[in-house]
Amino acid sequence: MYTLTDYIAGKFPNHTNLIRWLSSIIMVIFFTCYLAAQFSGVGKTLYSFSGLNITVGTIVVALIIIAYSCMGGFMSVVWTDTIQSFLMVLAFIIVPIAGFFEIQQNDLSISYTLSSMGSGADSWIGGLSGLAIGAMLFTNLSWFFGWLGGQPQLSSRFMALKDEKELKTGKIVAIIWTLIVYVGAFLSAIFASVIYKQGTIGDSEMILPHMVFDLLPPWVAGIIIAGILAAIMSTASSQLLVITTSVSEDIVHKAMGMTIKSQTLVKLSRCIAIVAGLVGIVVSLASGSIIYNMVSFAWAGVGNTFSAVILLIFFWKKTSGTGVVATIITGFISAILWTTSPLEAIVTAKAATFFICLIVGIVVSLWFPEKVSKSAKLAS
């Protein structure tokens, strides 16, 4: 098994190639948008502290990401991710501490400032009540559904584990890392709201670089900015790897059944990475650098679709190949239609797509049952 698509396809021999084609096409389309969002983040981050033109910064760093992803493949992405992860942890330890000391030195009140901002900023539930609370919680927790096995770039890490010992170590590291980074990001946002008045920062997505350069010595700020760029580059290289393997491994090698020498396959993978990266740059520049919207769109299309598929395969024995195919197609269509419709303002596609896919997968599997062959069971 090389990819998430390969794992899913191996479960249903009668639909193997169709699953590979559909899965790969969806991953390429949505992950190109995801990749473009990372490129936009790089350009905006460079602009925030150097004044370098966003277009120039986006292109330069994007080419660097494409280059090292092409030269080293999976191992280069994993090793750079490791180093970049340490920088991210360092950033989200130092920045909240610096923000807290800045608030104390200037005798600022966190509770008073949040209260004066209005809109329920001083409340965990945003000052809402009744159904509005449920809608708010549901919308903000909707990112959760995409984490339930639907992120190919993360699944590939789990699939690379060699034994139980590595699994235990990985779980501990992942939990500690996630707690530090997420709590640090939350505190940084709260402290930034206290330090900066509303409207003083033109682009709210760039609040962290502003805090870094305003609160820390230049040499420390340089390290922290490296951590921010590391986070973006880490994600971008992983997504580029998913696009590359989806085309070269799942489509060309597996679905099309082309027998290719390993050296030729490497060259093909590099060509695909270059083309995908260039397309990502174009999408990034054409999108107006709306990072959150692009990530949200990709999350609904890929994360929710494949989370539903993985959950059905893991926990429901009646899941059929036809049901999986229907789920994948539904995820692709519903993510696009829901995101571009007025329904997005009511219930986010990041949640709606997941439940639509899950329901379709169950219903179609019941209508078109299919027994999993012995060979497929052994392959799993």
Side-chain angles (χ1 to χ4, degrees):
M1 298 294 180
Y2 293 98
T3 64
L4 180 63
T5 298
D6 209 23
Y7 171 79
I8 297 171
K11 289 284 186 177
F12 307 98
N14 295 332
H15 302 80
T16 297
N17 284 343
L18 182 57
I19 290 175
R20 284 199 175 105
W21 274 102
L22 290 173
S23 299
S24 299
I25 290 171
I26 289 176
M27 287 182 187
V28 169
I29 292 174
F30 284 104
F31 266 82
T32 298
C33 295
Y34 210 155
L35 181 65
Q38 308 310 315
F39 288 166
S40 296
V42 168
K44 293 172 73 172
T45 302
L46 287 176
Y47 172 77
S48 70
F49 70 87
S50 68
L52 181 66
N53 182 273
I54 293 180
T55 300
V56 176
T58 299
I59 293 174
V60 170
V61 180
L63 291 177
I64 293 173
I65 296 171
I66 295 170
Y68 77 69
S69 297
C70 285
M71 290 186 289
F74 179 77
M75 290 307 298
S76 73
V77 171
V78 171
W79 276 107
T80 52
D81 279 359
T82 302
I83 298 171
Q84 290 160 346
S85 294
F86 280 117
L87 288 174
M88 291 166 64
V89 168
L90 185 65
F92 284 112
I93 290 176
I94 294 177
V95 173
I97 293 174
F100 179 76
F101 279 116
E102 178 72 11
I103 291 172
Q104 294 299 311
Q105 289 176 0
N106 289 278
D107 198 26
L108 299 173
S109 171
I110 297 176
S111 59
Y112 174 78
T113 303
L114 294 178
S115 177
S116 63
M117 289 174 63
S119 302
D122 59 336
S123 169
W124 285 101
I125 57 176
L128 302 174
S129 61
L131 292 175
I133 296 177
M136 183 271 291
L137 292 174
F138 188 70
T139 298
N140 284 281
L141 292 175
S142 62
W143 295 94
F144 163 79
F145 301 115
W147 284 105
L148 300 176
Q151 295 296 328
Q153 76 277 21
L154 302 179
S155 299
S156 62
R157 270 54 170 183
F158 287 103
M159 295 169 73
L161 292 172
K162 296 178 181 179
D163 50 44
E164 287 290 330
K165 184 179 179 181
E166 285 191 356
L167 177 60
K168 292 179 180 179
T169 303
K171 287 193 293 186
I172 295 172
V173 172
I175 291 172
I176 294 174
W177 184 93
T178 300
L179 287 174
I180 293 174
V181 171
Y182 278 60
V183 171
F186 173 78
L187 292 176
S188 297
I190 294 295
F191 295 158
S193 299
V194 177
I195 296 171
Y196 301 100
K197 293 183 179 180
Q198 286 182 289
T200 56
I201 305 297
D203 189 346
S204 59
E205 291 181 331
M206 290 295 102
I207 189 66
L208 190 58
H210 279 283
M211 288 184 70
V212 169
F213 284 102
D214 289 346
L215 305 180
L216 299 172
W219 67 273
V220 178
I223 295 175
I224 301 303
I225 287 297
I228 298 173
L229 291 173
I232 301 172
M233 294 175 70
S234 169
T235 305
S237 60
S238 296
Q239 291 157 353
L240 190 59
L241 183 65
V242 169
I243 296 173
T244 302
T245 53
S246 293
V247 177
S248 63
E249 194 63 42
D250 294 319
I251 293 181
V252 177
H253 184 51
K254 298 290 179 60
M256 298 178 67
M258 295 179 63
T259 303
I260 305 175
K261 294 181 179 179
S262 58
Q263 292 182 342
T264 305
L265 188 62
V266 170
K267 291 179 180 179
L268 175 63
S269 298
R270 288 173 176 171
C271 290
I272 294 169
I274 292 172
V275 172
L278 294 177
V279 172
I281 292 174
V282 173
V283 173
S284 172
L285 299 178
S287 67
S289 300
I290 307 175
I291 300 173
Y292 181 87
N293 291 343
M294 286 194 290
V295 172
S296 181
F297 176 62
W299 200 271
V302 174
N304 288 355
T305 299
F306 291 99
S307 284
V309 171
I310 291 298
L311 289 177
L312 287 172
I313 292 175
F314 278 13
F315 300 108
W316 196 45
K317 294 181 179 180
K318 294 183 179 181
T319 303
S320 69
T322 305
V324 169
V325 170
T327 302
I328 295 172
I329 295 174
T330 300
F332 175 70
I333 296 175
S334 62
I336 296 174
L337 294 181
W338 197 285
T339 302
T340 56
S341 74
L343 293 172
E344 176 68 17
I346 303 173
V347 178
T348 175
K350 296 191 300 295
T353 302
F354 173 78
F355 289 104
I356 292 173
C357 288
L358 206 58
I359 293 171
V360 168
I362 293 172
V363 172
V364 175
S365 291
L366 290 174
W367 279 352
F368 301 96
E370 177 182 323
K371 293 183 179 180
V372 180
S373 64
K374 292 182 180 180
S375 61
K377 290 180 179 180
L378 291 174
S380 65

